[in-house]
Amino acid sequence: MKGISMRHIYCVIIGILAAVPTAFAATPQWVIDGLLIEHPGRIQVEYLGQFQQDPPRYRVNFNGRAFTMFEGTIGPDFHSAQLWEHAKINPGDRVLEVGTGIGCLSIFAAETASKVVATDIEPIAVENTKFNAEQHGVGHIVDARQGDLFGPISPNEQFDVIFFNIIYPYNQETLHFWRLHERFFAEVGQFLAKGGRIYYQAGYFDNLGHIREMASANNFEIMEMNMWAVLRYHRQPMVFMLQRQSDI
Ligand SMILES: C[S@@+](CC[C@H](N)C(=O)[O-])C[C@H]1O[C@@H](n2cnc3c(N)ncnc32)[C@H](O)[C@@H]1O
């Protein structure tokens, strides 16, 4: 990408302008760690607390569905909601979600996709994803695998859609998280099918410059960029859709 085009600037401005009246019109309320968070999107995330003691199990509603959360996993939040709201899965797509958490996005994707591979570095997250996929009747489509980034993917596997929503830098102390994102951009091209799409979340407007550099250095183009104003919280989630420059 050679620079921020007027189209990208319009996308952000329109996103913010669209967010404000929507936020006042019908604000979904989120409960994360007891904090109510307002956001302009239509997908709600609601944490409903513990429903089982041994082993501990928690309930979270995401996009109108109930998911079980195991102890030690990371559940969905407004980043996940924004990512899912701006993603498009076509019938028959082969989908990869890197860092699936408890599997919410992969499970929704499995309703349309022909195959979903959901990976996570934490074994408990993989176990939790398998459990939720069975509960939602898509255990035969969601293939949950443990490992670091693309480690669990065979060299010959190809995906039409790849999701990436993993912690990103949000202050000086967390800049080291870029290393993970840089590895993602360096390796993702090997697994993205011709014409494929990457849905990538890395909030904070200040992150845009480095995201553009990583994309450009690896021959990707930012095709869409959507930003939310999340009221009463310190993040500005941003979803990007990227494609290979040679596919455009
Ligand atoms: C914030 S959660 C996101 C979950 C899900 N993608 C979503 O949007 O709701 C990030 C997940 O990425 C996993 N993760 C972190 N580093 C990873 C890595 N190097 N490789 C694979 N997964 C990783 C974490 O264990 C966690 O479950």
Side-chain angles (χ1 to χ4, degrees):
M1 198 178 153
K2 293 165 195 68
I4 303 181
S5 68
M6 286 312 288
R7 182 168 165 259
H8 295 130
I9 293 170
Y10 287 148
C11 270
V12 172
I13 293 171
I14 288 167
I16 292 172
L17 290 179
V20 174
T22 321
F24 285 109
T27 305
Q29 292 189 312
W30 299 33
V31 183
I32 297 180
D33 295 335
L35 185 66
L36 287 176
I37 297 176
E38 297 168 28
H39 72 86
R42 64 181 160 77
I43 294 178
Q44 293 194 43
V45 182
E46 191 178 9
Y47 280 78
L48 301 175
Q50 190 167 355
F51 68 92
Q52 183 182 300
Q53 288 296 328
D54 190 19
R57 295 282 190 260
Y58 304 83
R59 181 77 71 219
V60 52
N61 280 351
F62 179 82
N63 195 22
R65 294 262 196 91
F67 290 87
T68 297
M69 199 172 157
F70 293 5
E71 189 93 338
T73 58
I74 303 175
D77 69 0
F78 53 81
H79 297 91
S80 324
Q82 195 207 22
L83 190 56
W84 185 244
E85 187 160 332
H86 292 104
K88 181 165 172 14
I89 311 286
N90 297 316
D93 275 349
R94 298 158 293 175
V95 174
L96 169 64
E97 184 185 11
V98 179
T100 192
I102 65 169
C104 299
L105 303 189
S106 288
I107 288 163
F108 276 105
E111 292 181 348
T112 313
S114 60
K115 154 188 174 170
V116 179
V117 175
T119 74
D120 205 287
I121 199 164
E122 296 294 340
I124 190 71
V126 174
E127 197 188 317
N128 199 158
T129 295
K130 286 181 179 166
F131 177 90
N132 279 328
E134 288 296 335
Q135 292 282 307
H136 288 274
V138 291
H140 58 298
I141 298 178
V142 177
D143 177 2
R145 304 179 192 171
Q146 190 270 327
D148 175 34
L149 278 187
F150 298 100
I153 311 302
S154 308
N156 59 351
E157 283 185 286
Q158 294 283 288
F159 299 91
D160 305 294
V161 174
I162 298 181
F163 285 104
F164 189 82
N165 171 29
I166 292 187
I167 189 152
Y168 53 78
Y170 52 90
N171 57 25
Q172 283 299 314
E173 288 69 51
T174 54
L175 289 176
H176 61 277
F177 288 134
W178 279 135
R179 287 202 286 276
L180 181 64
H181 290 245
E182 285 159 4
R183 281 173 52 215
F184 171 81
F185 274 100
E187 296 172 26
V188 66
Q190 193 186 331
F191 305 100
L192 189 70
K194 188 164 169 40
R197 312 179 294 289
I198 299 169
Y199 291 105
Y200 170 76
Q201 164 71 252
Y204 274 135
F205 194 68
D206 288 353
N207 284 351
L208 180 59
H210 194 54
I211 291 168
R212 287 177 50 230
E213 282 169 16
M214 291 187 295
S216 173
N218 293 286
N219 304 314
F220 291 106
E221 187 79 23
I222 296 173
M223 303 299 292
E224 292 175 15
M225 187 167 80
N226 289 284
M227 185 176 169
W228 272 1
V230 176
L231 307 179
R232 289 199 272 145
Y233 201 61
H234 66 289
R235 300 283 172 94
Q236 310 145 353
M238 294 175 78
V239 166
F240 299 85
M241 192 276 273
L242 301 106
Q243 287 183 289
R244 217 182 255 113
Q245 287 171 348
S246 58
D247 286 342
I248 299 167

